[in-house]
Amino acid sequence: FPQACSPFIQAARCYARPVRRKRKDIPSHLDDLPPTMLKKGYADVPIINSVDDVVRRLLSLEMASQKEKVKIKTQQLVEKVRRSPNDNGSFEVQVAVLTAKIRTYEEHLQRHPKDKSNRRRMLMAVDRRRKMLAYLRRVRYDTFQSTCEQLNIQYSLPPPYSRRVTKRGLVKKAFCLKVFQEARKLKAAERLKQRREWQERARAAREKQAQSEG
């Protein structure tokens, strides 16, 4: 029979046992999708109401993968901002598609913060969406405002460009200004010479025309 270990050894074993961290319940942007909702493409099938409950559960979001849920969520966001039923490529639709991708990447990075590849993809998507929103804000402000409200996007203006002043930068700027002024003087002399030549040609042409008329 195995010998009973002392309380000291038992306490040491418990101390050395790895502690399992509990995963935090991260809220998802897919939580508002009802599990009884059918997958994309099965809702319009005529015989879907007459199938068995097991088959219906297999075709619903209860058994769907993350990719299928993201497709349905993307379609819902697109339906909010599209201009017409056939609109699939406007700026508003592209912003909606990018918003669904960005929120999916954010949830993934909250669970796996060291995934640098997906973090890079998310930053690229954020930058692309920012450019599209800036274009909409500049060209069609009402569409930009309604798109941000429908998709729950908080748009912030980019910070103004600023550069730290250094001694090397000041010397370089002064040298560039001096070179620009010298080049401008040379061009001014050449332009004055060309102008005088044009004036002399025009005067000679007028004199020649007057002699031919006289």
Side-chain angles (χ1 to χ4, degrees):
F1 294 97
Q3 297 180 356
C5 60
S6 62
F8 177 77
I9 297 177
Q10 184 67 24
R13 286 178 178 176
C14 294
Y15 177 78
R17 187 177 300 167
V19 179
R20 294 182 179 181
R21 296 182 179 180
K22 295 183 179 180
R23 282 191 174 183
K24 297 180 180 179
D25 294 334
I26 300 173
S28 174
H29 71 290
L30 306 174
D31 293 339
D32 57 344
L33 295 176
T36 57
M37 184 178 180
L38 296 176
K39 298 179 183 179
K40 185 179 179 181
Y42 293 104
D44 300 332
V45 178
I47 62 173
I48 195 66
N49 296 323
S50 60
V51 297
D52 191 11
D53 293 340
V54 178
V55 177
R56 192 176 181 86
R57 287 183 62 189
L58 290 173
L59 300 180
S60 64
L61 296 184
E62 185 180 356
M63 302 294 179
S65 62
Q66 179 80 3
K67 188 176 181 180
E68 292 173 339
K69 293 181 180 179
V70 170
K71 284 183 179 180
I72 295 178
K73 190 64 179 180
T74 304
Q75 189 66 25
Q76 290 182 354
L77 295 180
V78 168
E79 290 292 339
K80 291 181 179 180
V81 298
R82 65 177 11 170
R83 304 176 188 176
S84 63
N86 297 326
D87 180 19
N88 296 319
S90 62
F91 276 88
E92 302 92 282
V93 172
Q94 296 182 47
V95 168
V97 174
L98 288 173
T99 301
K101 287 183 179 180
I102 290 168
R103 290 173 182 172
T104 305
Y105 284 137
E106 286 177 350
E107 295 174 12
H108 175 77
L109 290 173
Q110 287 180 0
R111 294 184 178 89
H112 310 281
K114 295 184 179 181
D115 192 350
K116 297 182 180 179
S117 178
N118 281 321
R119 184 177 298 276
R120 178 175 174 270
R121 293 191 183 98
M122 185 191 71
L123 293 177
M124 291 173 64
V126 169
D127 186 49
R128 187 179 175 190
R129 187 182 69 173
R130 186 186 298 114
K131 291 179 181 178
M132 291 184 177
L133 288 175
Y135 174 79
L136 283 176
R137 186 176 182 273
R138 187 174 63 253
V139 177
R140 300 174 60 190
Y141 187 80
D142 54 345
T143 305
F144 159 78
Q145 193 172 8
S146 63
T147 302
C148 291
E149 291 177 357
Q150 292 291 335
L151 301 179
N152 195 16
I153 298 175
Q154 295 181 356
Y155 179 80
S156 58
L157 293 174
Y161 178 75
S162 61
R163 178 180 292 179
R164 187 169 61 90
V165 179
T166 59
K167 185 177 180 180
R168 180 180 179 184
L170 293 175
V171 173
K172 183 178 180 180
K173 185 177 180 180
F175 178 73
C176 292
L177 287 174
K178 187 176 181 180
V179 172
F180 173 74
Q181 291 174 358
E182 294 294 333
R184 192 174 183 182
K185 290 179 182 178
L186 295 175
K187 290 182 179 179
E190 293 178 359
R191 289 176 182 173
L192 181 61
K193 184 178 179 182
Q194 291 179 359
R195 188 180 300 172
R196 289 177 179 175
E197 291 178 356
W198 293 340
Q199 291 176 357
E200 290 178 359
R201 293 176 184 174
R203 190 183 301 111
R206 287 196 299 269
E207 292 177 356
K208 185 177 181 180
Q209 186 178 1
Q211 291 176 2
S212 61
E213 291 178 356

